[in-house]
Amino acid sequence: MSVSLIIVSHSARLAEGVAELVGQMNAGQVSVLPVGGTDDGTLGTSVTRIGQALEQALAQGGAALILMDLGSAYLSSTTALEFLTPEQRARVQLADAPLVEGAFLAAFEAAGGGTLDEVRAAAEEGRAMPKITG
């Protein structure tokens, strides 16, 4: 089962930028769906738009990992999950991970055929990813 990534941000440009970065680094092997901003294009999150991304990610029988930027992105994501069937919900997880590093590590794991649990665990390892070494 392939794992898609859903990038939920308060900013459409931020979500699109993370999706672009991750997509180029994994050569398009993993579906990365950006969901940023509200329905009217302002800063915020949209339960409706998150739900649409979930439908797209789950349509082919795959799984989805949601990565979020700030607290209310979590609230909107969990609300969107309430509209899924139990079978669909079983194929979605939320990652407690930094957005950029988590998305990068998750995409790498997903491209290698990782399970949803493995992809989430990889994303969450991003919390310990050093930016400066030496």
Side-chain angles (χ1 to χ4, degrees), residues 75-120:
L75 295 174
S76 294
S77 296
T78 57
T79 301
L81 292 176
E82 293 175 14
F83 295 97
L84 298 178
T85 66
E87 185 276 331
Q88 290 172 315
R89 175 63 185 94
R91 296 186 285 131
V92 179
Q93 292 184 20
L94 291 88
D96 184 11
L99 191 60
V100 176
E101 295 88 342
F104 171 78
L105 293 170
F108 184 79
E109 185 68 34
T115 66
L116 180 56
D117 287 337
E118 292 167 337
V119 173
R120 187 196 77 243

